[in-house]
Amino acid sequence: MINIFMKKFSTLTTLLLAICMLTACNNSKPSQPIVKEAQDSAYTPNVENEKEEAFSTKKLCAEIADSVKGEYGNEAIATSVKIDWPVSGDAKLQESVCKYITHTLSMGYKTGDDPQKAINAYVKAKQKEQHANSKEFEGPITGRDFSAEITLTSNTPKYITYIANTYIFLGGAHGSTFVEGATFSKKDGHKLSYDMFASNIKKANDKNHAKLMSMIVKDLKKYFEVKTDQELLEILLLNKENPTIKDIPLPQMVPFFDKDGITFIYQQYEIAPYAAGMPQVTIPFSKIKPLLNEAAQELVP
């Protein structure tokens, strides 16, 4: 099961005002911070014999940290992006992954652009946006933080899986973390969604819905360390009076292939209080395979 780490934000009171750091990193080790002015690193996509090459990525990063004067001193504002950008492999697969990355971040990028420059521009714009929003905030100015990390977590002969972790802090008691997984078929670059199932599994009256939810509920009990349906319902926050087990929904985010099975993640507050984190379950391939359509079954190891 994928381990999702909750990120904590702390105010950086010693950070000098108006100093920006923009860094670029590679697969071996991060480069030294570049102070004040952003420098775009060179990027040369590997396109030779791309259909014969295995899918591979290059770590592209950019971050800016500065501060704004608040009621209690300097408040840090930071923006950070780290992406495993595809550089080799099947052309359709690379294109599909690039579309997923740019859609996830709402980042301006089109095929042929230098992705490092696109990431640098995105981080600069996001940092500027955070400064503007801090001034419009009603109340004491507090620090702000935005970070996104899109990581290749599985690279198998049949499929790849990415995990996108996004953390946002807008002041207050704590920030918010969002996690989304995405699995792509190496055969045609298709990004899997709930269409991986043989039937319309999201409908409560679907023939396989109850079977899937039974597996999920069983693992949710393990996650929360409870034994009965009633104990589980007492923990959950379901938007219904006198809810039953049948009222537990499927996660809004699409499930994804993990090394041990198919993982389902509920976001913060989706079905449980903040303190519960992001409930997640991984159903072994052997149990969930009969519910998948033919194309998805072919991806199962």
Side-chain angles (χ1 to χ4, degrees), residues 72-86:
Y72 307 108
N74 290 342
E75 298 286 352
I77 296 181
T79 302
S80 173
V81 172
K82 298 178 181 179
I83 301 173
D84 287 341
W85 193 272

Side-chain angles (χ1 to χ4, degrees), residues 10 21 28 53 65 82 130 139 173 176 198 202 222 225 235-236 252 259 263-264 271 279:
S10 61
M21 294 183 297
S28 58
E53 291 177 333
K82 298 178 181 179
Q130 292 203 100
S176 298
K202 296 189 75 174
K222 293 179 181 178
E225 299 180 348
I235 293 173
L236 301 183
Q252 293 180 7
K259 63 183 180 66
T263 295
F264 296 77
I271 62 167

Side-chain angles (χ1 to χ4, degrees), residues 29-56:
K29 63 180 181 179
S31 62
Q32 294 300 314
I34 300 170
V35 181
K36 292 186 180 180
E37 186 57 42
Q39 283 189 3
D40 298 323
S41 62
Y43 174 80
T44 305
N46 188 346
V47 295
E48 291 186 79
N49 301 319
E50 58 185 7
K51 290 190 176 181
E52 286 73 31
E53 291 177 333
F55 182 84
S56 64

Side-chain angles (χ1 to χ4, degrees), residues 161-209:
T161 293
Y162 270 80
I163 301 293
N165 277 276
T166 305
Y167 174 80
I168 301 173
F169 178 77
L170 301 175
H174 57 73
S176 298
T177 299
F178 304 89
V179 177
E180 178 185 10
T183 297
F184 302 83
S185 168
K186 282 191 171 180
K187 182 179 181 180
D188 56 10
H190 175 66
K191 178 179 175 291
L192 274 64
S193 64
Y194 273 107
D195 66 2
M196 71 176 72
F197 292 96
S199 56
N200 192 351
I201 204 104
K202 296 189 75 174
K203 286 191 174 183
N205 60 355
D206 178 78
K207 61 181 181 180
N208 291 325
H209 179 87

Side-chain angles (χ1 to χ4, degrees), residues 12-297:
L12 307 177
T13 58
T14 59
L15 201 60
L16 296 178
L17 181 63
I19 294 182
C20 298
M21 294 183 297
L22 181 68
T23 67
C25 66
N26 52 42
N27 288 331
S28 58
K29 63 180 181 179
S31 62
Q32 294 300 314
I34 300 170
V35 181
K36 292 186 180 180
E37 186 57 42
Q39 283 189 3
D40 298 323
S41 62
Y43 174 80
T44 305
N46 188 346
V47 295
E48 291 186 79
N49 301 319
E50 58 185 7
K51 290 190 176 181
E52 286 73 31
E53 291 177 333
F55 182 84
S56 64
T57 64
K58 176 182 179 181
K59 182 74 75 175
L60 301 180
C61 312
E63 60 182 346
I64 298 176
D66 53 26
S67 61
V68 62
K69 188 174 182 180
E71 184 174 341
Y72 307 108
N74 290 342
E75 298 286 352
I77 296 181
T79 302
S80 173
V81 172
K82 298 178 181 179
I83 301 173
D84 287 341
W85 193 272
V87 294
S88 68
D90 179 76
K92 288 184 178 179
L93 178 59
Q94 289 191 67
E95 181 181 6
S96 184
V97 171
C98 289
K99 286 182 178 179
Y100 155 72
I101 292 172
T102 53
H103 175 75
T104 298
L105 294 177
S106 297
M107 183 177 74
Y109 172 83
K110 61 180 182 295
T111 304
D113 287 352
D114 183 329
Q116 183 65 66
K117 289 183 178 180
I119 293 170
N120 288 353
Y122 174 83
V123 168
K124 289 179 184 178
K126 180 64 70 172
Q127 185 75 353
K128 184 177 180 180
E129 176 185 304
Q130 292 203 100
H131 272 278
N133 290 340
S134 69
K135 295 177 182 178
E136 296 175 359
F137 182 72
E138 294 183 3
I141 294 176
T142 60
R144 288 174 177 260
D145 188 12
F146 173 89
S147 66
E149 187 165 1
I150 303 178
T151 307
L152 178 67
T153 58
S154 296
N155 189 356
T156 75
K158 295 182 179 180
Y159 69 85
I160 62 171
T161 293
Y162 270 80
I163 301 293
N165 277 276
T166 305
Y167 174 80
I168 301 173
F169 178 77
L170 301 175
H174 57 73
S176 298
T177 299
F178 304 89
V179 177
E180 178 185 10
T183 297
F184 302 83
S185 168
K186 282 191 171 180
K187 182 179 181 180
D188 56 10
H190 175 66
K191 178 179 175 291
L192 274 64
S193 64
Y194 273 107
D195 66 2
M196 71 176 72
F197 292 96
S199 56
N200 192 351
I201 204 104
K202 296 189 75 174
K203 286 191 174 183
N205 60 355
D206 178 78
K207 61 181 181 180
N208 291 325
H209 179 87
K211 295 178 182 178
L212 176 59
M213 288 309 303
S214 177
M215 299 179 197
I216 291 177
V217 167
K218 182 179 179 180
D219 279 2
L220 282 176
K221 289 177 182 177
K222 293 179 181 178
Y223 178 90
F224 288 106
E225 299 180 348
V226 298
K227 294 182 179 180
T228 68
D229 289 355
Q230 186 58 37
E231 287 176 318
L232 178 60
L233 289 171
E234 289 175 357
I235 293 173
L236 301 183
L237 298 177
L238 301 178
N239 189 25
K240 189 172 183 179
E241 188 175 353
N242 301 320
T244 68
I245 285 297
K246 292 183 179 180
D247 294 316
I248 299 176
L250 283 167
Q252 293 180 7
M253 294 299 184
V254 173
F256 55 89
F257 279 46
D258 198 0
K259 63 183 180 66
D260 298 320
I262 294 181
T263 295
F264 296 77
I265 296 181
Y266 291 92
Q267 303 302 304
Q268 292 173 342
Y269 295 114
E270 188 173 351
I271 62 167
Y274 178 84
M278 287 176 284
Q280 58 179 297
V281 303
T282 299
I283 301 176
F285 288 119
S286 59
K287 292 184 178 180
I288 201 171
K289 185 175 180 179
L291 304 184
L292 303 177
N293 61 32
E294 184 177 347
Q297 287 186 10

